[in-house]
């Protein structure tokens, strides 16, 4: 959940779900509002506290964690949100944000930043990424023969209970697999394995990108963000 909307926290925690993930990209609205557009981080923080109190009241054992989306310009906020999560007893898991959805990543992989289907807003997001998109896609393409854990180990359901091909695709047309309750897991997995979207994705190594499947990603992000901070502090670093 992005936790922007009020819910019955006591009822939620009384159901004792195994895990609840909170998606966030800032501690201050100036950063959060850019990448969670339309959201209010002060509302999120208030709901986090209410959720923690409900967990205590109900005795739930639910693991609550925050997935913090790192960009090259929100790293100062990360330390603040980590401290807030520690105060509430929530786990904190930062990850380098990557570009989505699959359809737009594929367009970039095939034709670069000026690809048809990408707009100025998309290019702005790409510029804010801690992981340089062109560089990491090149590394993922070289590792394209890896198996796809999203295909092999996950089943994605929409709000109707229908199976969607993958969590990385946003376009519903052509990517719906079958009604979950009416289809065997074997048949669902068979249909996914021969789907043309999966074929095109794996040819470009985008399935590797979507699961942080090359170790170089961390080094790429470190180099890029270090360069950004070095520029702000007025000194140069070698490539």
């Amino acid at each position: 959940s992005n936790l922007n909307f009020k819910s019955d926290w006591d009822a939620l925690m009384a159901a004792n779900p195994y895990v609840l993930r909170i998606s966030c990209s800032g501690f201050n609205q100036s950063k959060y509002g850019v990448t969670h557009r339309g959201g209010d981080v002060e509302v999120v923080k208030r709901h986090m506290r209410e959720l923690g109190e409900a967990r205590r009241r109900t005795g739930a054992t639910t693991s609550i964690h925050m997935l913090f989306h790192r960009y090259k310009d929100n790293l100062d906020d990360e330390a603040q949100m980590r401290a807030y999560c520690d105060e509430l007893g929530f786990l904190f898991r930062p990850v380098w944000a990557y570009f989505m959805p699959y359809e737009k990543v594929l367009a970039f992989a095939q034709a670069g930043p000026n690809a048809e289907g990408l707009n100025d807003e998309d290019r702005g997001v790409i510029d804010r990424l801690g992981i340089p998109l062109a560089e990491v896609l090149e590394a993922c393409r070289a590792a394209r023969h890896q198996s796809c854990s999203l295909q092999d180990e996950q089943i994605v359901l929409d709000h109707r209970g229908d199976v969607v091909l993958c969590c990385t695709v946003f376009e519903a047309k052509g990517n719906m697999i079958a009604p979950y309750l009416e289809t065997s897991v074997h048949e669902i997995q068979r249909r996914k394995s021969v789907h043309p979207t999966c074929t095109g994705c794996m040819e470009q190594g985008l399935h590797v990108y979507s699961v942080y499947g090359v170790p170089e990603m961390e080094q790429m992000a470190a180099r890029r963000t270090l360069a950004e901070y070095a520029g702000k502090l007025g000194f140069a670093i070698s490539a």
Side-chain angles (χ1 to χ4, degrees):
S1 173
N2 58 42
L3 226 60
N4 268 273
F5 298 97
K6 179 72 175 179
S7 186
D8 186 337
W9 309 125
D10 284 295
L12 176 61
M13 289 294 98
N16 203 25
Y18 177 70
V19 64
L20 177 64
R21 170 181 289 179
I22 303 165
S23 167
C24 193
S25 57
F27 187 81
N28 301 290
Q29 186 63 21
S30 59
K31 298 298 183 185
Y32 178 84
V34 176
T35 41
H36 275 76
R37 187 170 57 186
D40 185 335
V41 77
E42 296 305 321
V43 170
V44 174
K45 287 186 281 189
R46 183 172 71 250
H47 288 168
M48 287 172 65
R49 187 170 293 280
E50 292 172 358
L51 187 62
E53 291 169 351
R55 183 172 65 172
R56 285 192 294 274
R57 280 194 300 272
T58 60
T61 58
T62 302
S63 174
I64 304 175
H65 73 255
M66 171 169 287
L67 195 75
F68 188 88
H69 304 182
R70 283 175 169 164
Y71 292 84
K72 68 181 186 181
D73 61 355
N74 72 341
L75 300 181
D76 293 328
D77 278 31
E78 179 180 326
Q80 295 173 283
M81 185 57 83
R82 183 189 293 272
Y84 190 62
C85 285
D86 288 346
E87 177 188 338
L88 298 177
F90 294 177
L91 300 175
F92 187 81
R93 297 177 179 172
V95 294
W96 292 106
Y98 56 65
F99 190 53
M100 289 185 74
Y102 156 79
E103 294 87 352
K104 292 192 175 187
V105 181
L106 179 63
F108 184 98
Q110 293 175 331
N114 296 318
E116 185 178 351
L118 297 180
N119 56 38
D120 288 343
E121 185 177 13
D122 295 326
R123 286 182 277 272
V125 172
I126 291 168
D127 183 63
R128 294 186 66 240
L129 294 173
I131 305 171
L133 187 55
E135 186 179 348
V136 73
L137 288 182
E138 183 178 352
C140 290
R141 202 173 289 117
R144 64 185 179 275
H145 299 299
Q146 290 184 23
S147 62
C148 178
S149 60
L150 300 180
Q151 184 187 82
D152 297 340
E153 301 172 15
Q154 291 189 11
I155 292 179
V156 179
L157 306 181
D158 69 5
H159 65 287
R160 296 180 296 268
D162 291 332
V163 179
V164 184
L165 176 65
C166 177
C167 61
T168 70
V169 297
F170 284 14
E171 186 62 51
K173 185 179 180 181
N175 290 316
M176 303 305 294
I177 300 300
Y180 178 68
L181 295 179
E182 300 171 19
T183 316
S184 71
V185 171
H186 175 78
E187 177 61 15
I188 288 170
Q189 293 301 89
R190 187 197 69 78
R191 294 185 190 185
K192 287 166 59 180
S193 68
V194 298
H195 198 284
T197 296
C198 283
T199 303
C201 175
M202 296 181 78
E203 284 176 352
Q204 293 287 340
L206 304 188
H207 65 298
V208 181
Y209 175 63
S210 298
V211 297
Y212 303 91
V214 290
E216 301 96 313
M217 293 176 82
E218 193 73 27
Q219 288 86 358
M220 291 174 189
R223 287 197 302 269
R224 187 170 193 183
T225 54
L226 179 58
E228 181 77 9
Y229 273 80
K232 291 177 180 178
L233 295 173
F235 62 87
I237 62 169
S238 59

